[in-house]
Amino acid sequence: MPAAKPPEFRRRAVELTRVPGASVATIAKDLGISESCLRRWMAKDDVDAGRREGLTSSEHEELVRLRRENRRQAMEIEILKRASAYFAQENVLPPKMSAPLVRELAADGYPVAVTCEVLGIARSSYYEAVARPPSKRAVADAELAVTIERVHTDSRGTYGAPRVHAELKLGLGIACGRKRVARLMRRAGLAGVCHRRKRGQRPAPATHEDLVQRVFTADAPDRVWFTDSVANAPPKPSTAPATAG
């Protein structure tokens, strides 16, 4: 794409087209620009001079500036939202552990300079952290994450952090904290199966009327019987006294 012409060049080119008898095609050829480009400059000059309706150059510049500011504000809001979720999930405070977040945002198209400015960290610190080799803790977390994923897979995806931690500690003899296991599982997108209690459900109504009113004692034999028949069925003879049940 050819470089944009300076405003003075554009102004002089338009002035040449205002000379009586001037040919737009000839002027464009002599200046080394396309005829359509020169005609756009002429139309823009007519708008700026009020000879034609449209968006003036100053209005266009203001519109571009406002759009740029809106994009920047939307980007800053999204960066802060991602940062808040990241720091809450990793249980760390900024600017500690900011390099992984900046790298993640950069992969999604957010400029490193903007992200560092919003998070209040120096770009030199970020690039230094990226160039630094992984720490022993990071290497240990990566190795433990592989083991956690294997345990979770062996459980058919049913184990959550408590059971995975118990399997690591009691089954495999790996010393690690439960919060560390939960953090690595969240990072890997692993979760267990949780059966939550259903609230608000009431027991179904009784199929028959309670003829004894929940009183299961009797003062003499053959006064109360227990049966799976309907409530009004005649009692069957019984030689054993009724007992509460």
Side-chain angles (χ1 to χ4, degrees):
M1 179 182 295
K5 302 298 182 180
E8 181 63 22
F9 178 87
R10 297 172 58 176
R11 185 180 64 82
R12 292 292 300 169
V14 172
E15 288 178 354
L16 292 175
T17 61
R18 305 303 184 192
V19 177
S23 172
V24 176
T26 302
I27 296 174
K29 183 177 180 181
D30 294 340
L31 296 177
I33 58 177
S34 63
E35 182 179 350
S36 59
C37 177
L38 182 55
R39 291 191 181 278
R40 285 197 303 270
W41 293 353
M42 295 170 59
K44 195 66 176 177
D45 183 69
D46 290 338
V47 172
D48 293 341
R51 295 187 294 269
R52 188 173 184 177
E53 293 185 357
L55 200 64
T56 64
S57 299
S58 58
E59 292 173 342
H60 177 73
E61 292 176 358
E62 180 67 12
L63 180 61
V64 171
R65 184 185 65 81
L66 292 175
R67 287 178 176 175
R68 187 183 300 113
E69 290 182 357
N70 288 338
R71 287 195 300 268
R72 173 63 183 255
Q73 291 178 358
M75 190 179 301
E76 291 178 356
I77 292 174
E78 184 62 24
I79 290 173
L80 291 175
K81 289 172 58 178
R82 295 274 294 271
S84 177
Y86 174 82
F87 291 128
Q89 177 178 345
E90 297 296 332
N91 196 24
V92 294
L93 295 176
K96 184 179 180 181
M97 293 293 294
S98 297
L101 173 62
V102 177
R103 184 165 52 245
E104 179 181 325
L105 290 170
D108 292 340
Y110 293 89
V112 173
V114 177
T115 304
C116 291
E117 181 179 349
V118 173
L119 298 180
I121 60 177
R123 279 185 291 173
S124 58
S125 301
Y126 163 71
Y127 289 116
E128 181 181 354
V130 171
R132 188 184 306 126
S135 63
K136 294 182 179 180
R137 179 74 172 183
V139 174
D141 281 350
E143 295 176 353
L144 182 59
V146 175
T147 306
I148 289 174
E149 186 173 358
R150 185 174 68 250
V151 172
H152 186 265
T153 302
D154 293 342
S155 71
R156 298 181 181 179
T158 60
Y159 280 8
R163 290 191 176 183
V164 171
H165 175 255
E167 179 65 23
L168 293 174
K169 185 176 181 180
L170 303 178
L172 302 178
I174 300 177
C176 59
R178 179 174 171 179
K179 290 184 178 180
R180 184 183 179 189
V181 174
R183 173 173 58 84
L184 294 177
M185 289 186 66
R186 285 195 303 268
R187 183 181 298 178
L190 303 177
V193 177
C194 179
H195 298 285
R196 298 182 178 178
R197 294 182 179 180
K198 298 180 180 180
R199 299 180 179 180
Q201 290 188 352
R202 298 181 178 179
T207 56
H208 302 293
E209 182 182 357
D210 186 0
L211 301 179
V212 297
Q213 300 299 317
R214 311 301 295 172
V215 179
F216 301 110
T217 58
D219 55 359
D222 296 334
R223 296 297 179 91
V224 178
W225 292 273
F226 297 93
T227 177
D228 58 359
S229 303
V230 293
N232 58 358
K236 296 181 179 180
S238 175
T239 58
T243 59

